[in-house]
């Protein structure tokens, strides 16, 4: 048996293509021709790895395309000190494929929960909407009782999802001031809404 026959197909398939590192550097500079060569060199390996993880051919093609687009967009992030160009691309492919599996599982879980929720007793949607509207109105009225800085801080943190530091930066106020105003504002809201903490 000669040596070529002794090497498993996957090992031969995963060998580093000659010049891939230089091609990636050219891709990082926006060279479309270099990307075309990179695509030809690595797309079979990318698709093969993704297909082994996802098993579904259509999804595998989609994820492989996403990986190759990511290679085009992020070629400048390739660092030869951290590994071969083939290993970098295959890591991107593996991560993307695993993300897709997790996403599909989460979607399946959501659908299962939604289906289970549908079997529970129905509720009065009109009453639910009316209650939600009244609660929103109460919150708005209570927000109007806050000082301007308190209201802005609370709105940015709770409706905008900003951290204390981000709120302080957005409002050009010291971090300690924002924390104090937000705490005082939340206490006033709690008292106004009649909520026990």
């Amino acid at each position: 048996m000669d040596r070529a026959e002794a090497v498993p197909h996957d090992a031969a398939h995963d060998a580093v293509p000659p010049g891939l590192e230089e091609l990636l550097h050219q891709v990082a500079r926006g060279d479309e021709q270099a990307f075309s060569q990179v695509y030809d060199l690595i797309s079979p390996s990318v698709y093969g790895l993704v297909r082994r993880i996802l098993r579904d051919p259509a999804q595998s093609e989609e994820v492989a395309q996403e990986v190759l687009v990511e290679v085009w967009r992020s070629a400048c992030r390739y660092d030869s000190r951290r590994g071969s160009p083939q290993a970098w691309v295959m890591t991107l492919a593996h991560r993307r494929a695993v993300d897709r599996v997790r996403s599909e599982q989460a979607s399946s879980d959501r659908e299962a929960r939604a289906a289970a929720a549908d079997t529970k007793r129905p509720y009065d949607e009109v009453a639910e909407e009316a209650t939600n509207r009244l609660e929103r109105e109460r919150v708005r009225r209570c927000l109007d009782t806050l000082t301007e800085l308190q209201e802005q801080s609370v709105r940015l943190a709770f409706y905008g999802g900003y951290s204390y530091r981000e709120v302080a930066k957005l409002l050009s106020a010291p971090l300690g001031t924002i924390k104090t105003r937000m705490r005082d504002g939340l206490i006033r809201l709690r008292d106004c809404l009649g909520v026990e903490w």
Side-chain angles (χ1 to χ4, degrees):
M1 177 186 293
D2 70 52
R3 187 178 168 111
E5 291 178 72
V7 177
H9 174 70
D10 283 348
H13 196 62
D14 291 339
V16 177
L20 183 56
E21 187 170 336
E22 178 54 36
L23 287 170
L24 276 177
H25 291 303
Q26 292 172 14
V27 170
R29 292 189 295 268
D31 187 332
E32 291 179 20
Q33 192 128 16
F35 179 72
S36 177
Q37 292 175 3
V38 168
Y39 185 98
D40 292 341
L41 287 170
I42 64 171
S43 62
S45 299
V46 168
Y47 177 76
L49 174 64
V50 171
R51 179 83 157 83
R52 281 192 298 271
I53 295 170
L54 295 179
R55 293 192 174 86
D56 176 26
Q59 280 197 34
S60 298
E61 287 176 13
E62 187 178 315
V63 170
Q65 281 302 115
E66 290 172 5
V67 170
L68 293 163
V69 168
E70 187 174 354
V71 168
W72 167 254
R73 289 182 178 157
S74 63
C76 59
R77 285 192 243 146
Y78 167 67
D79 183 357
S80 60
R81 293 172 295 182
R82 298 183 74 192
S84 72
Q86 185 81 359
W88 178 71
V89 172
M90 297 312 275
T91 299
L92 295 176
H94 185 266
R95 286 180 185 159
R96 186 67 68 123
V98 169
D99 286 348
R100 177 62 65 97
V101 169
R102 289 180 180 151
S103 173
E104 289 296 317
Q105 183 61 50
S107 176
S108 176
D109 291 348
R110 275 193 306 275
E111 289 173 12
R113 283 193 303 272
D118 284 346
T119 61
K120 295 178 182 170
R121 64 188 164 134
Y123 67 97
D124 186 346
E125 291 180 29
V126 174
E128 181 78 18
E129 179 59 31
T131 302
N132 288 341
R133 195 172 291 159
L134 287 171
E135 287 175 4
R136 284 192 300 267
E137 186 55 41
R138 273 183 66 204
V139 170
R140 269 192 223 107
R141 275 197 316 271
C142 289
L143 279 171
D144 288 342
T145 67
L146 303 180
T147 67
E148 186 177 347
L149 186 57
Q150 287 172 338
E151 180 184 357
Q152 289 174 331
S153 300
V154 169
R155 282 186 186 273
L156 286 170
F158 289 94
Y159 295 123
Y162 293 102
S163 68
Y164 284 123
R165 288 189 192 289
E166 292 168 330
V167 171
K169 191 173 183 179
L170 287 167
L171 297 178
S172 301
L175 179 60
T177 301
I178 292 300
K179 287 182 177 181
T180 301
R181 296 302 179 260
M182 201 172 299
R183 186 195 71 230
D184 294 346
L186 291 174
I187 290 170
R188 285 176 86 177
L189 281 175
R190 177 194 67 195
D191 293 344
C192 178
L193 293 169
V195 176
E196 290 185 25
W197 287 355

